[in-house]
Amino acid sequence: MIKIGICGTAGRMGRTLVAAVVQNPHTRLAAAIEHQGSRWIGADAGDLAGIGTLGLSLVDEPAAAIDSSDVLVDFTVPEATMANLALCRAAGKPIVIGTTGLDQAQRRELSRTAEVLPIVLAPNFSAGVNLTFKLIELAARALGEDFDIEVIEAHHRHKIDAPSGTALRMGEILASALDRDFGTSAVYSRQGRTGERDRKTIGFASVRGGDIVGEHTVLYAGLGERLEITHRASSRMTFANGAVRAAVWLAGQTAGLYDMQDVLGLRD
Ligand code: NAP
C-alpha cells in the first residue's frame, strides 16, 4: 500500500483525488492538506469528497503531513507547489504535481530539484490527452508546413490561468515536430488590424465558462481540407485516477523529472 498525501484537498481536484486514492486498491490516504486559514481545516476528507466519513481530518502543517506519506500529490497554486517541493526535497519524498501556470523560474527550480528527487509533472493526467499528444505530433509531421495550426481550449469559469497547461504543452509538441521555436511561434491573442496570418505561427484561443471540465482541439487548416483532433474530458476523475496511477508508479522510481508519457509507457 502506497501512502498518499494530498495537498489542495478542499479544491475541485483535491476532493476528486480523495475518492480516487480511497478507491485505488494500491493506495491509502495518509494526509489531507490545505493552507493555513482555510475554513476546511479539521473537516473530514471523506465527507468533503462526498464518499462518507474517513476519520482523516484536513491539516495545515504540510511538513508533518509529508512525513506521514510515501508520495505527495499536489494540485494547488504555483506558490504552494513550490513550497511543497522544498518540503518534499527535505523529507526525500517523491511528489506528483498537477498544478499548472508555473513560470520559467519555477520550472528551472523544479528541474534542479529533480536531480535529487523523483517528480512527476504533467499538465494533464488523463490517458486520452497523453495519447492525443502523440497523435498531434504525428499529424504535424505528416501535414508539415502546408497547414496552419491553431490550438483551441475550453475550461470552467473558475480556471485562473490561460492558455491551459495542456494547450501550452500541445504547442511545445507541435513546434518541436515542425522544428520551430515555441517562444517565437506562439500567438496568444488577435485583435484589430492584425494583418495576414504569419504561416510560422501557432495560435491559441481560450474559452472560459460554466462547468466545462476541459476540452482541447488542435486544428490543422489547409487549402481545401481541415483536420481537427479533439479531446474532451467529462469528469475530473480521469485526471485524479491518472495522478494516483502516477503516484504508485513514482514510488518505485529514482530521482528524475517524469511526465505521464513515462508513467503510461508512451515515451519513444
Ligand atoms: P481549486 O478548486 O482552486 O483547488 C485548489 C486548492 O488548493 C484550493 O482548495 C485552495 O484553497 C488550495 N490551496 C491554495 N493554496 C494552498 C496552499 N498554500 N496549501 C494548500 N492548499 C492550498 O483548483 P482545481 O481546479 O482543483 O485545480 C488546481 C490546479 O490543478 C490548477 O493549477 C489546475 O490548472 C490544475 N489541474 C491540473 C490537472 C492535470 O491533469 N494536471 C487537471 C485539473 C486541474 P483556497 O480555495 O482556499 O485558496
Side-chain angles (χ1 to χ4, degrees):
M1 277 291 208
I2 308 288
K3 290 179 283 172
I4 307 284
I6 297 173
C7 193
T9 316
R12 281 173 290 268
M13 276 306 300
R15 293 173 194 230
T16 318
L17 279 161
V18 169
V21 169
V22 169
Q23 283 163 20
N24 189 303
H26 306 293
T27 57
R28 180 166 72 75
L29 186 61
I33 312 161
E34 261 296 333
H35 60 88
Q36 281 182 4
S38 165
R39 66 193 174 106
W40 299 110
I41 300 303
D44 185 86
D47 289 341
L48 263 184
I51 57 168
T53 307
L54 290 175
L56 187 86
S57 301
L58 267 65
V59 295
D60 60 2
E61 288 172 1
I66 288 167
D67 272 344
S68 65
S69 311
D70 295 323
V71 182
L72 183 72
V73 178
D74 185 306
F75 281 68
T76 55
V77 291
E79 302 71 36
T81 297
M82 296 314 288
N84 286 331
L85 181 71
L87 291 172
C88 283
R89 179 183 180 147
K93 297 293 173 82
I95 179 168
V96 172
I97 299 173
T99 308
T100 59
L102 269 56
D103 64 24
Q104 290 300 326
Q106 289 166 331
R107 281 174 167 271
R108 278 196 296 276
E109 177 58 26
L110 213 116
S111 297
R112 275 195 295 273
T113 307
E115 290 168 15
V116 294
L117 194 73
I119 301 172
V120 172
L121 170 72
N124 198 305
F125 280 91
S126 99
V129 157
N130 282 278
L131 179 60
T132 306
F133 287 161
K134 286 283 173 201
L135 299 176
I136 63 168
E137 180 183 5
L138 182 69
R141 285 195 203 285
L143 301 175
E145 303 295 335
D146 293 338
F147 285 66
D148 299 324
I149 302 182
E150 303 272 310
V151 181
I152 303 138
E153 56 101 346
H155 282 85
H156 54 90
R157 64 168 68 135
H158 302 290
K159 185 162 177 62
I160 58 171
D161 54 324
S164 70
T166 303
L168 291 170
R169 173 63 62 83
M170 287 176 158
E172 288 167 2
I173 291 167
L174 294 163
S176 158
L178 294 166
D179 239 348
R180 296 182 193 165
D181 173 56
F182 176 64
T184 52
S185 306
V187 171
Y188 298 111
S189 65
R190 298 185 181 106
Q191 190 189 19
R193 198 178 169 87
T194 60
E196 278 192 19
R197 188 185 194 284
D198 177 345
R199 298 294 313 283
K200 294 279 183 200
T201 56
I202 298 172
F204 290 85
S206 296
V207 175
R208 293 288 176 267
D211 59 359
I212 303 169
V213 173
E215 301 187 359
H216 293 86
T217 293
V218 177
L219 166 71
Y220 305 78
L223 298 178
E225 63 177 330
R226 196 169 81 204
L227 171 68
E228 293 175 21
I229 298 177
T230 296
H231 177 273
R232 293 193 179 93
S234 50
S235 162
R236 285 187 179 82
M237 202 41 121
T238 184
F239 309 130
N241 281 332
V244 175
R245 180 172 172 173
V248 172
W249 178 88
L250 192 62
Q253 301 301 316
T254 53
L257 185 53
Y258 306 100
D259 67 15
M260 263 323 256
Q261 303 286 317
D262 301 297
V263 176
L264 297 172
L266 291 172
R267 178 83 52 210
D268 290 332

